[in-house]
Amino acid sequence: MVPSLKLHDFMEEIRGAKTQAQEREVIQKECAHIRASFRDGDPLQRHRQLTKLLYVHMLGYPAHFGQMECLKLIASPRFIDKRVGYLGAMLLLDERHDAHLLITNSIKNDLSQGIQPVQGLALCTLSTMGSAEMCRDLATEVEKLLLQPGPYVRKKAILTAVHMVRKAPELSDIFLPLCAKLLHEHHHGILLGTITLIMELCERSPAALRHFRKVVPKLVQILRTLVTTGYSTEHSISGISDPFLQVQILRLLRILGRNHEKSSETMNDLLAQVATNTDTSRNAGSAVLFETVLTIMDIHSAAGLRVLAVNILGRFLLNSDKNIRYVALTSLLKLVKSDHSAVQRHRPTVVECLRESDASLSRRALELSLALVNSSNVRSMTQELQAFLESCPPDLRADCASGILLAAERFAPTKRWHIDTILHVLTTAGTYVRDDAVANLTQLIGGAQELHAYSVHRLYHALAEDISQQPLVQVATWCIGEYGDFLLENCEETEPLQVEEEEVMALLEKVLQSHMSLPATRGYALTALMKLSTRIQGDTDRIRQVVSIYGSCLDVELQQRAVEYNVLFQKYDHMRAAILEKMPLVEHGGPQTDEEAKESRDDTAPVPTEPQTSKLLDLLNLLDDTSGDTQQPPSLNPSPEGALVHLLDLPCAPPPPAPIPNLKVFEREGVQLNLSFTRPPGTPALLLITVTTTNSSEDEVTHFICQAAVPKSVQLQLEAPSGNTVPAQDGPPITQLFRILNPNKAPLRLKLRLTYNHFGQSVQEIFEVNNLPVKTWQ
Amino acid sequence: MIQAILVFNNHGKPRLVRFYQRFPEEIQQQIVRETFHLVLKRDDNICNFLEGGSLIGGSDYKLIYRHYATLYFVFCVDSSESELGILDLIQVFVETLDKCFENVCELDLIFHMDKVHYILQEVVMGGMVLETNMNEIVAQMEAQNRLEKSEGGLSAAPARAVSAVKNMNLPEIPRNINIGDLNIKVPNLSQFV
């Protein structure tokens, strides 16, 4: 049998493997050895085997059979075993394995009796993978270590305490009283840990936050010492003494000073001093300065100081170091809500950053630019953003496009500019815009009557150049259909190019036939062609031809439309003009217009969910001026000719449903519960139950609470009751509304639980309502 | 809080993988691969911050990385850490490795993976910064290495040595050596037996 390899040789062999398969072979062979050695090998060599296993684990191979070995190694008295054992525990074990609880005992022993390095290992393991129960068991041990003199173990104990507080928040009571004292230590590691612990405690409880406000003077003193002390080799990084500690202190000051006048005042001088004196030629100084700026902006600082802070950020934006510019952009983004005008001053620099080739920087610059758009700078900003849209990387396109559209919607100076902007976005990044862009644009154009001619001309020319961008094509075909007559006339605002009928029809046919068009787009094109039949002066033979060809199209939706339009030419030619006249203005959110909005939306699903005949029905509804829902009764004959006849014969909306009788569900000592039902006609799945509680007894009912439960397939929403007291002798009742959504028409059962006080006793009643009328759920 | 510390080489082979949040093993490997692909796309002269991939958490997480010769050091942090501070922390870690290994190179990380973990444990614990004073860290590591050597090399040797001497069969030493008229008294050597 090949002997087990030494660690060094093992790694050499792995590196020597030329293929993945070879590497796997080597590792599997060695893992077999490791397993055998764990079973009955030399206990003194166990740590070497586990080290090999951990290496293999890092490369991604399974190593779970080493978990129990970690426990054995941790229990061994030798330091070398414990070291590897604890490392293995941190890498291989976690809360989800039951084995992790077994090390609690070992950790306890090591914490109380081990030498310093061993205590350090135990604390490290506890802070990495300690579960909530482990933390609770070992809290007292850790507390003891916090108080003993050696700084090495103390600093580790403090950070372990942070982890424990995160896992088991009730332990904060143990550690909170010790923090203030720890701040008086001099060792930087202890201070760093203590400040982290205080931040964690403050974030968890407002009471702790108030308690720690009293240490603000001490923190200010520590920071001042750090800033004013001369060069000390111990903790300095590029000439700044312990920037890590400075940054943490500034962070804690920010948390403590927020919304608190007195603390903010205490820190003002120091913050000003740090802001002006920190040397920012190296990264460390910049880190400290950034924290200072963020702290200044977050607390109640003097106005002059705030201006200084924003100017510092502006200066950083011009720095040549890209990291600094990135952090400056991030910080400005945080400030843009609270100090909008101050950040506006740096807008030109931000826009410069848009042109960066660095993806992270340009992303930040984009977010910040979008946040800075307002009504006064919208034109220039949109120009910049559109230029950016043309050249930006694909993953930013969607954000940029929707950002521009949103900004245009909020701040558009004129409708024409708005239409132009959306048009530009659609031509540049059409495939990345959101679904409702098409709906928005059609609505916008529909509403801007004076711009119909202009829009249709522009859209026509854009379409003529490029028929691949689906949202653009959809809007353009819709417009050409609606406003085709404007297109054929001349328009002063665009180039006076006479558009011929033949050209328009040829373009629409091109869209119809193109393999790039989505099914929904082709539907648009066909309808547009049809509408054109009433808008043009020439004859309609060409259109008839196309329509009849598509009568045998494979796409069912197109086929249906084509056949209907065909019939419109043949049997109902006299009605054609009226049916196909211009649509009235679409309003946002109306129930009828919801259908329109649904159809003009970018619909990638080839089969629409609304009934097939609804589009024609909409037109007829507009004609007949009937209101109400456009949902077809399901008994309609689906054949096209028959459908048309039925639609034309359609008299009125379906009759209102018969009212559902009330139901008394509960009676006890004069307290009665009644249910009354309503089913609103527009939403068939919704049932509204009003629960009325009356009291005909001699004592009032107080603390009345009614809770309800329904079967799983049904949704229930309880509104707030009108009150929870019913006075005696038929006083004003309590009413409460239940909303029940039952789309599957499942049989409705209701379980009610009542709790109230009556005649000096507390009453609890649970009962099921089984005899609900059938009409409530069918 | 630091979520993860990853070190891998220019070909994506992991050299140090340490997570401070629990992920199952396959997700860990996926994260390493995804991070490598994200970081590989970056030029050398652009900023060291990357918005994190989708696996390691939501929009709150960033990847902060530094490229040293053949190795990428990547720290995945959330918004509570100072970005520039983490850059300095990576530098501190690398310089500490340099001091402990004397001109550290990738081979050191490969063959002494466990030692690298121990050094990292002195700098970052439980996802939080523990100590940034290089001298203190190096001193600790040296003390621990000495401790390891002292018990590892001789292992149970002192105990064995004592018992060996106890069992030594020293021949009987004559108390009186009679050489003619001289009378030399030999001192009692029993205490050495």
Side-chain angles (χ1 to χ4, degrees), chain A residues 57 79-80 83 94 152 155 234 251 323 326 358 360 364, chain B residues 22 25 47-49 51 80 122 131 133 144 148 151:
Chain A
H57 175 253
F79 179 66
I80 190 170
R83 223 182 188 190
D94 74 83
Y152 174 71
K155 72 186 182 195
E234 273 294 299
R251 241 194 206 144
N323 293 332
Y326 178 91
D358 179 348
S360 303
R364 290 282 140 186
Chain B
R22 192 55 207 180
E25 257 82 24
C47 71
N48 298 77
F49 308 115
E51 262 71 60
S80 72
E122 298 297 324
E131 179 66 68
N133 181 349
Q144 289 182 12
E148 210 177 281
E151 57 166 42

PDB file of all heavy atoms in Angstrom, chain A residues 57 79-80 83 94 152 155 234 251 323 326 358 360 364, chain B residues 22 25 47-49 51 80 122 131 133 144 148 151:
ATOM      1  N   HIS A  57     -10.073  20.707   1.766  1.00  0.00           N
ATOM      2  CA  HIS A  57     -11.363  21.377   1.923  1.00  0.00           C
ATOM      3  C   HIS A  57     -11.370  22.721   1.234  1.00  0.00           C
ATOM      4  O   HIS A  57     -12.353  23.133   0.611  1.00  0.00           O
ATOM      5  CB  HIS A  57     -11.656  21.530   3.420  1.00  0.00           C
ATOM      6  CG  HIS A  57     -12.892  22.315   3.710  1.00  0.00           C
ATOM      7  ND1 HIS A  57     -12.869  23.594   4.216  1.00  0.00           N
ATOM      8  CD2 HIS A  57     -14.190  22.015   3.554  1.00  0.00           C
ATOM      9  CE1 HIS A  57     -14.090  24.040   4.367  1.00  0.00           C
ATOM     10  NE2 HIS A  57     -14.922  23.088   3.972  1.00  0.00           N
ATOM     11  N   PHE A  79      -0.465  22.025  22.486  1.00  0.00           N
ATOM     12  CA  PHE A  79      -0.847  23.252  21.790  1.00  0.00           C
ATOM     13  C   PHE A  79      -0.969  23.007  20.294  1.00  0.00           C
ATOM     14  O   PHE A  79      -1.879  23.522  19.644  1.00  0.00           O
ATOM     15  CB  PHE A  79       0.187  24.343  22.069  1.00  0.00           C
ATOM     16  CG  PHE A  79      -0.108  25.635  21.364  1.00  0.00           C
ATOM     17  CD1 PHE A  79      -1.218  26.383  21.699  1.00  0.00           C
ATOM     18  CD2 PHE A  79       0.698  26.086  20.325  1.00  0.00           C
ATOM     19  CE1 PHE A  79      -1.508  27.566  21.036  1.00  0.00           C
ATOM     20  CE2 PHE A  79       0.420  27.258  19.667  1.00  0.00           C
ATOM     21  CZ  PHE A  79      -0.687  28.006  20.023  1.00  0.00           C
ATOM     22  N   ILE A  80      -0.066  22.203  19.776  1.00  0.00           N
ATOM     23  CA  ILE A  80      -0.072  22.028  18.323  1.00  0.00           C
ATOM     24  C   ILE A  80      -1.350  21.336  17.882  1.00  0.00           C
ATOM     25  O   ILE A  80      -1.909  21.636  16.833  1.00  0.00           O
ATOM     26  CB  ILE A  80       1.182  21.250  17.867  1.00  0.00           C
ATOM     27  CG1 ILE A  80       1.295  21.288  16.366  1.00  0.00           C
ATOM     28  CG2 ILE A  80       1.178  19.826  18.388  1.00  0.00           C
ATOM     29  CD1 ILE A  80       2.598  20.761  15.852  1.00  0.00           C
ATOM     30  N   ARG A  83      -4.327  23.892  18.207  1.00  0.00           N
ATOM     31  CA  ARG A  83      -4.312  24.911  17.154  1.00  0.00           C
ATOM     32  C   ARG A  83      -5.035  24.428  15.904  1.00  0.00           C
ATOM     33  O   ARG A  83      -5.925  25.091  15.374  1.00  0.00           O
ATOM     34  CB  ARG A  83      -2.863  25.184  16.804  1.00  0.00           C
ATOM     35  CG  ARG A  83      -2.543  26.607  16.631  1.00  0.00           C
ATOM     36  CD  ARG A  83      -1.101  26.712  16.249  1.00  0.00           C
ATOM     37  NE  ARG A  83      -0.693  28.081  16.238  1.00  0.00           N
ATOM     38  CZ  ARG A  83       0.455  28.504  15.755  1.00  0.00           C
ATOM     39  NH1 ARG A  83       1.309  27.636  15.269  1.00  0.00           N
ATOM     40  NH2 ARG A  83       0.755  29.774  15.781  1.00  0.00           N
ATOM     41  N   ASP A  94     -20.379  24.090  12.022  1.00  0.00           N
ATOM     42  CA  ASP A  94     -21.178  25.297  12.210  1.00  0.00           C
ATOM     43  C   ASP A  94     -22.458  24.927  12.939  1.00  0.00           C
ATOM     44  O   ASP A  94     -22.667  23.773  13.278  1.00  0.00           O
ATOM     45  CB  ASP A  94     -21.484  25.962  10.874  1.00  0.00           C
ATOM     46  CG  ASP A  94     -22.506  25.211  10.096  1.00  0.00           C
ATOM     47  OD1 ASP A  94     -23.707  25.386  10.347  1.00  0.00           O
ATOM     48  OD2 ASP A  94     -22.105  24.432   9.243  1.00  0.00           O
ATOM     49  N   TYR A 152      -3.686  40.774  25.615  1.00  0.00           N
ATOM     50  CA  TYR A 152      -3.868  39.886  24.459  1.00  0.00           C
ATOM     51  C   TYR A 152      -5.208  39.165  24.538  1.00  0.00           C
ATOM     52  O   TYR A 152      -5.994  39.163  23.589  1.00  0.00           O
ATOM     53  CB  TYR A 152      -2.713  38.870  24.413  1.00  0.00           C
ATOM     54  CG  TYR A 152      -2.901  37.831  23.348  1.00  0.00           C
ATOM     55  CD1 TYR A 152      -2.786  38.161  22.009  1.00  0.00           C
ATOM     56  CD2 TYR A 152      -3.192  36.512  23.677  1.00  0.00           C
ATOM     57  CE1 TYR A 152      -2.962  37.221  21.030  1.00  0.00           C
ATOM     58  CE2 TYR A 152      -3.361  35.566  22.690  1.00  0.00           C
ATOM     59  CZ  TYR A 152      -3.249  35.917  21.369  1.00  0.00           C
ATOM     60  OH  TYR A 152      -3.425  34.978  20.401  1.00  0.00           O
ATOM     61  N   LYS A 155      -8.479  41.752  24.604  1.00  0.00           N
ATOM     62  CA  LYS A 155      -9.018  42.319  23.367  1.00  0.00           C
ATOM     63  C   LYS A 155      -9.824  41.266  22.619  1.00  0.00           C
ATOM     64  O   LYS A 155     -10.841  41.571  22.004  1.00  0.00           O
ATOM     65  CB  LYS A 155      -7.886  42.899  22.506  1.00  0.00           C
ATOM     66  CG  LYS A 155      -7.013  41.877  21.874  1.00  0.00           C
ATOM     67  CD  LYS A 155      -5.829  42.510  21.151  1.00  0.00           C
ATOM     68  CE  LYS A 155      -5.024  41.392  20.499  1.00  0.00           C
ATOM     69  NZ  LYS A 155      -3.713  41.763  20.060  1.00  0.00           N
ATOM     70  N   GLU A 234       4.508  52.761  16.679  1.00  0.00           N
ATOM     71  CA  GLU A 234       3.712  51.599  17.079  1.00  0.00           C
ATOM     72  C   GLU A 234       2.535  51.326  16.153  1.00  0.00           C
ATOM     73  O   GLU A 234       2.424  50.284  15.558  1.00  0.00           O
ATOM     74  CB  GLU A 234       3.187  51.803  18.507  1.00  0.00           C
ATOM     75  CG  GLU A 234       4.152  51.351  19.572  1.00  0.00           C
ATOM     76  CD  GLU A 234       4.369  49.856  19.540  1.00  0.00           C
ATOM     77  OE1 GLU A 234       3.403  49.112  19.718  1.00  0.00           O
ATOM     78  OE2 GLU A 234       5.506  49.434  19.286  1.00  0.00           O
ATOM     79  N   ARG A 251     -16.848  57.030  13.999  1.00  0.00           N
ATOM     80  CA  ARG A 251     -18.114  56.362  13.750  1.00  0.00           C
ATOM     81  C   ARG A 251     -18.994  56.346  14.980  1.00  0.00           C
ATOM     82  O   ARG A 251     -20.206  56.593  14.901  1.00  0.00           O
ATOM     83  CB  ARG A 251     -17.827  54.917  13.382  1.00  0.00           C
ATOM     84  CG  ARG A 251     -18.305  54.666  12.097  1.00  0.00           C
ATOM     85  CD  ARG A 251     -18.433  53.365  11.637  1.00  0.00           C
ATOM     86  NE  ARG A 251     -18.316  53.608  10.204  1.00  0.00           N
ATOM     87  CZ  ARG A 251     -17.758  52.846   9.376  1.00  0.00           C
ATOM     88  NH1 ARG A 251     -17.277  51.733   9.800  1.00  0.00           N
ATOM     89  NH2 ARG A 251     -17.680  53.151   8.127  1.00  0.00           N
ATOM     90  N   ASN A 323      -9.890  55.566  -6.181  1.00  0.00           N
ATOM     91  CA  ASN A 323     -10.557  55.092  -4.970  1.00  0.00           C
ATOM     92  C   ASN A 323     -11.168  56.252  -4.209  1.00  0.00           C
ATOM     93  O   ASN A 323     -12.283  56.169  -3.720  1.00  0.00           O
ATOM     94  CB  ASN A 323      -9.551  54.381  -4.061  1.00  0.00           C
ATOM     95  CG  ASN A 323      -9.064  53.104  -4.671  1.00  0.00           C
ATOM     96  OD1 ASN A 323      -9.775  52.498  -5.448  1.00  0.00           O
ATOM     97  ND2 ASN A 323      -7.858  52.714  -4.336  1.00  0.00           N
ATOM     98  N   TYR A 326     -14.266  57.430  -5.891  1.00  0.00           N
ATOM     99  CA  TYR A 326     -15.367  56.502  -5.658  1.00  0.00           C
ATOM    100  C   TYR A 326     -16.003  56.762  -4.306  1.00  0.00           C
ATOM    101  O   TYR A 326     -17.226  56.885  -4.184  1.00  0.00           O
ATOM    102  CB  TYR A 326     -14.835  55.067  -5.720  1.00  0.00           C
ATOM    103  CG  TYR A 326     -15.862  54.026  -5.438  1.00  0.00           C
ATOM    104  CD1 TYR A 326     -16.611  53.466  -6.463  1.00  0.00           C
ATOM    105  CD2 TYR A 326     -16.103  53.584  -4.144  1.00  0.00           C
ATOM    106  CE1 TYR A 326     -17.550  52.499  -6.208  1.00  0.00           C
ATOM    107  CE2 TYR A 326     -17.041  52.625  -3.884  1.00  0.00           C
ATOM    108  CZ  TYR A 326     -17.753  52.090  -4.919  1.00  0.00           C
ATOM    109  OH  TYR A 326     -18.700  51.135  -4.668  1.00  0.00           O
ATOM    110  N   ASP A 358     -14.083  53.575 -15.856  1.00  0.00           N
ATOM    111  CA  ASP A 358     -14.205  52.630 -14.750  1.00  0.00           C
ATOM    112  C   ASP A 358     -15.677  52.362 -14.450  1.00  0.00           C
ATOM    113  O   ASP A 358     -16.424  53.273 -14.154  1.00  0.00           O
ATOM    114  CB  ASP A 358     -13.513  53.271 -13.544  1.00  0.00           C
ATOM    115  CG  ASP A 358     -13.579  52.434 -12.306  1.00  0.00           C
ATOM    116  OD1 ASP A 358     -14.328  51.454 -12.268  1.00  0.00           O
ATOM    117  OD2 ASP A 358     -12.861  52.784 -11.366  1.00  0.00           O
ATOM    118  N   SER A 360     -17.283  50.870 -11.929  1.00  0.00           N
ATOM    119  CA  SER A 360     -17.796  51.182 -10.591  1.00  0.00           C
ATOM    120  C   SER A 360     -18.024  52.673 -10.439  1.00  0.00           C
ATOM    121  O   SER A 360     -19.045  53.115  -9.921  1.00  0.00           O
ATOM    122  CB  SER A 360     -16.813  50.741  -9.509  1.00  0.00           C
ATOM    123  OG  SER A 360     -16.548  49.391  -9.615  1.00  0.00           O
ATOM    124  N   ARG A 364     -21.661  54.804  -9.863  1.00  0.00           N
ATOM    125  CA  ARG A 364     -21.915  55.741  -8.768  1.00  0.00           C
ATOM    126  C   ARG A 364     -22.299  57.110  -9.304  1.00  0.00           C
ATOM    127  O   ARG A 364     -23.191  57.777  -8.802  1.00  0.00           O
ATOM    128  CB  ARG A 364     -20.662  55.912  -7.925  1.00  0.00           C
ATOM    129  CG  ARG A 364     -20.301  54.741  -7.129  1.00  0.00           C
ATOM    130  CD  ARG A 364     -21.153  54.651  -5.922  1.00  0.00           C
ATOM    131  NE  ARG A 364     -21.475  53.280  -5.715  1.00  0.00           N
ATOM    132  CZ  ARG A 364     -22.306  52.848  -4.802  1.00  0.00           C
ATOM    133  NH1 ARG A 364     -22.884  53.711  -4.034  1.00  0.00           N
ATOM    134  NH2 ARG A 364     -22.528  51.587  -4.691  1.00  0.00           N
TER     135      ARG A 364
ATOM    136  N   ARG B  22     -21.979  31.945   7.782  1.00  0.00           N
ATOM    137  CA  ARG B  22     -22.017  30.546   7.414  1.00  0.00           C
ATOM    138  C   ARG B  22     -22.636  30.340   6.033  1.00  0.00           C
ATOM    139  O   ARG B  22     -23.759  30.753   5.775  1.00  0.00           O
ATOM    140  CB  ARG B  22     -22.854  29.788   8.447  1.00  0.00           C
ATOM    141  CG  ARG B  22     -22.712  28.315   8.302  1.00  0.00           C
ATOM    142  CD  ARG B  22     -21.273  27.893   8.370  1.00  0.00           C
ATOM    143  NE  ARG B  22     -21.048  26.665   7.632  1.00  0.00           N
ATOM    144  CZ  ARG B  22     -19.890  26.065   7.516  1.00  0.00           C
ATOM    145  NH1 ARG B  22     -18.823  26.588   8.066  1.00  0.00           N
ATOM    146  NH2 ARG B  22     -19.774  24.964   6.851  1.00  0.00           N
ATOM    147  N   GLU B  25     -20.942  24.392   1.681  1.00  0.00           N
ATOM    148  CA  GLU B  25     -19.676  24.266   0.947  1.00  0.00           C
ATOM    149  C   GLU B  25     -19.788  24.620  -0.528  1.00  0.00           C
ATOM    150  O   GLU B  25     -18.899  25.272  -1.075  1.00  0.00           O
ATOM    151  CB  GLU B  25     -19.134  22.833   1.075  1.00  0.00           C
ATOM    152  CG  GLU B  25     -17.991  22.687   2.055  1.00  0.00           C
ATOM    153  CD  GLU B  25     -18.513  22.583   3.464  1.00  0.00           C
ATOM    154  OE1 GLU B  25     -19.667  22.180   3.607  1.00  0.00           O
ATOM    155  OE2 GLU B  25     -17.789  22.913   4.407  1.00  0.00           O
ATOM    156  N   CYS B  47     -10.549  51.714  -9.895  1.00  0.00           N
ATOM    157  CA  CYS B  47     -10.624  51.706  -8.450  1.00  0.00           C
ATOM    158  C   CYS B  47     -10.768  50.282  -7.916  1.00  0.00           C
ATOM    159  O   CYS B  47     -11.179  49.377  -8.607  1.00  0.00           O
ATOM    160  CB  CYS B  47     -11.758  52.586  -7.959  1.00  0.00           C
ATOM    161  SG  CYS B  47     -13.380  51.934  -8.290  1.00  0.00           S
ATOM    162  N   ASN B  48     -10.452  50.127  -6.634  1.00  0.00           N
ATOM    163  CA  ASN B  48     -10.391  48.798  -6.042  1.00  0.00           C
ATOM    164  C   ASN B  48     -11.700  48.354  -5.428  1.00  0.00           C
ATOM    165  O   ASN B  48     -11.714  47.480  -4.585  1.00  0.00           O
ATOM    166  CB  ASN B  48      -9.325  48.775  -4.930  1.00  0.00           C
ATOM    167  CG  ASN B  48      -7.967  49.075  -5.474  1.00  0.00           C
ATOM    168  OD1 ASN B  48      -7.650  50.225  -5.742  1.00  0.00           O
ATOM    169  ND2 ASN B  48      -7.166  48.069  -5.641  1.00  0.00           N
ATOM    170  N   PHE B  49     -12.809  48.987  -5.813  1.00  0.00           N
ATOM    171  CA  PHE B  49     -14.073  48.630  -5.194  1.00  0.00           C
ATOM    172  C   PHE B  49     -14.997  48.053  -6.241  1.00  0.00           C
ATOM    173  O   PHE B  49     -15.111  48.575  -7.335  1.00  0.00           O
ATOM    174  CB  PHE B  49     -14.738  49.857  -4.567  1.00  0.00           C
ATOM    175  CG  PHE B  49     -13.828  50.606  -3.651  1.00  0.00           C
ATOM    176  CD1 PHE B  49     -13.435  51.884  -3.960  1.00  0.00           C
ATOM    177  CD2 PHE B  49     -13.361  50.016  -2.503  1.00  0.00           C
ATOM    178  CE1 PHE B  49     -12.588  52.574  -3.117  1.00  0.00           C
ATOM    179  CE2 PHE B  49     -12.520  50.705  -1.658  1.00  0.00           C
ATOM    180  CZ  PHE B  49     -12.137  51.985  -1.974  1.00  0.00           C
ATOM    181  N   GLU B  51     -19.027  46.437  -6.732  1.00  0.00           N
ATOM    182  CA  GLU B  51     -20.260  46.030  -6.090  1.00  0.00           C
ATOM    183  C   GLU B  51     -20.293  44.513  -6.098  1.00  0.00           C
ATOM    184  O   GLU B  51     -19.953  43.881  -7.080  1.00  0.00           O
ATOM    185  CB  GLU B  51     -21.467  46.574  -6.860  1.00  0.00           C
ATOM    186  CG  GLU B  51     -22.017  47.832  -6.249  1.00  0.00           C
ATOM    187  CD  GLU B  51     -21.101  49.021  -6.444  1.00  0.00           C
ATOM    188  OE1 GLU B  51     -20.841  49.356  -7.601  1.00  0.00           O
ATOM    189  OE2 GLU B  51     -20.651  49.592  -5.448  1.00  0.00           O
ATOM    190  N   SER B  80     -20.930  48.799   6.882  1.00  0.00           N
ATOM    191  CA  SER B  80     -20.489  49.369   8.156  1.00  0.00           C
ATOM    192  C   SER B  80     -18.970  49.525   8.218  1.00  0.00           C
ATOM    193  O   SER B  80     -18.433  50.034   9.186  1.00  0.00           O
ATOM    194  CB  SER B  80     -20.958  48.482   9.316  1.00  0.00           C
ATOM    195  OG  SER B  80     -20.198  47.303   9.324  1.00  0.00           O
ATOM    196  N   GLU B 122      -5.085  36.691  14.030  1.00  0.00           N
ATOM    197  CA  GLU B 122      -4.643  37.764  14.923  1.00  0.00           C
ATOM    198  C   GLU B 122      -5.070  39.131  14.413  1.00  0.00           C
ATOM    199  O   GLU B 122      -5.089  40.102  15.161  1.00  0.00           O
ATOM    200  CB  GLU B 122      -3.108  37.738  15.053  1.00  0.00           C
ATOM    201  CG  GLU B 122      -2.565  36.472  15.657  1.00  0.00           C
ATOM    202  CD  GLU B 122      -3.036  36.267  17.078  1.00  0.00           C
ATOM    203  OE1 GLU B 122      -3.167  37.259  17.815  1.00  0.00           O
ATOM    204  OE2 GLU B 122      -3.298  35.112  17.451  1.00  0.00           O
ATOM    205  N   GLU B 131      -6.617  43.622  15.608  1.00  0.00           N
ATOM    206  CA  GLU B 131      -5.332  44.234  15.937  1.00  0.00           C
ATOM    207  C   GLU B 131      -4.669  44.673  14.660  1.00  0.00           C
ATOM    208  O   GLU B 131      -4.665  43.934  13.681  1.00  0.00           O
ATOM    209  CB  GLU B 131      -4.467  43.198  16.657  1.00  0.00           C
ATOM    210  CG  GLU B 131      -3.087  43.684  17.041  1.00  0.00           C
ATOM    211  CD  GLU B 131      -3.152  44.788  18.082  1.00  0.00           C
ATOM    212  OE1 GLU B 131      -3.548  44.498  19.217  1.00  0.00           O
ATOM    213  OE2 GLU B 131      -2.799  45.925  17.749  1.00  0.00           O
ATOM    214  N   ASN B 133      -1.489  46.403  14.861  1.00  0.00           N
ATOM    215  CA  ASN B 133      -0.100  46.690  15.155  1.00  0.00           C
ATOM    216  C   ASN B 133       0.737  45.499  14.721  1.00  0.00           C
ATOM    217  O   ASN B 133       0.708  44.430  15.333  1.00  0.00           O
ATOM    218  CB  ASN B 133       0.054  46.925  16.660  1.00  0.00           C
ATOM    219  CG  ASN B 133       1.475  47.255  17.038  1.00  0.00           C
ATOM    220  OD1 ASN B 133       2.390  47.123  16.227  1.00  0.00           O
ATOM    221  ND2 ASN B 133       1.671  47.683  18.259  1.00  0.00           N
ATOM    222  N   GLN B 144       4.001  31.761  19.663  1.00  0.00           N
ATOM    223  CA  GLN B 144       3.235  30.537  19.471  1.00  0.00           C
ATOM    224  C   GLN B 144       4.050  29.482  18.733  1.00  0.00           C
ATOM    225  O   GLN B 144       3.951  28.294  19.014  1.00  0.00           O
ATOM    226  CB  GLN B 144       1.945  30.848  18.711  1.00  0.00           C
ATOM    227  CG  GLN B 144       0.959  31.606  19.570  1.00  0.00           C
ATOM    228  CD  GLN B 144      -0.337  31.875  18.855  1.00  0.00           C
ATOM    229  OE1 GLN B 144      -0.606  31.313  17.795  1.00  0.00           O
ATOM    230  NE2 GLN B 144      -1.153  32.733  19.428  1.00  0.00           N
ATOM    231  N   GLU B 148       4.955  25.758  19.980  1.00  0.00           N
ATOM    232  CA  GLU B 148       4.708  24.563  19.184  1.00  0.00           C
ATOM    233  C   GLU B 148       5.974  23.719  19.075  1.00  0.00           C
ATOM    234  O   GLU B 148       5.953  22.513  19.248  1.00  0.00           O
ATOM    235  CB  GLU B 148       4.250  24.983  17.791  1.00  0.00           C
ATOM    236  CG  GLU B 148       3.324  24.008  17.141  1.00  0.00           C
ATOM    237  CD  GLU B 148       2.844  24.516  15.802  1.00  0.00           C
ATOM    238  OE1 GLU B 148       1.943  25.358  15.790  1.00  0.00           O
ATOM    239  OE2 GLU B 148       3.394  24.047  14.789  1.00  0.00           O
ATOM    240  N   GLU B 151       7.004  21.793  22.348  1.00  0.00           N
ATOM    241  CA  GLU B 151       6.347  20.548  22.716  1.00  0.00           C
ATOM    242  C   GLU B 151       6.314  19.581  21.548  1.00  0.00           C
ATOM    243  O   GLU B 151       6.317  18.377  21.736  1.00  0.00           O
ATOM    244  CB  GLU B 151       4.918  20.819  23.220  1.00  0.00           C
ATOM    245  CG  GLU B 151       4.066  21.554  22.205  1.00  0.00           C
ATOM    246  CD  GLU B 151       2.591  21.537  22.527  1.00  0.00           C
ATOM    247  OE1 GLU B 151       2.226  21.722  23.697  1.00  0.00           O
ATOM    248  OE2 GLU B 151       1.825  21.305  21.582  1.00  0.00           O
TER     249      GLU B 151
END
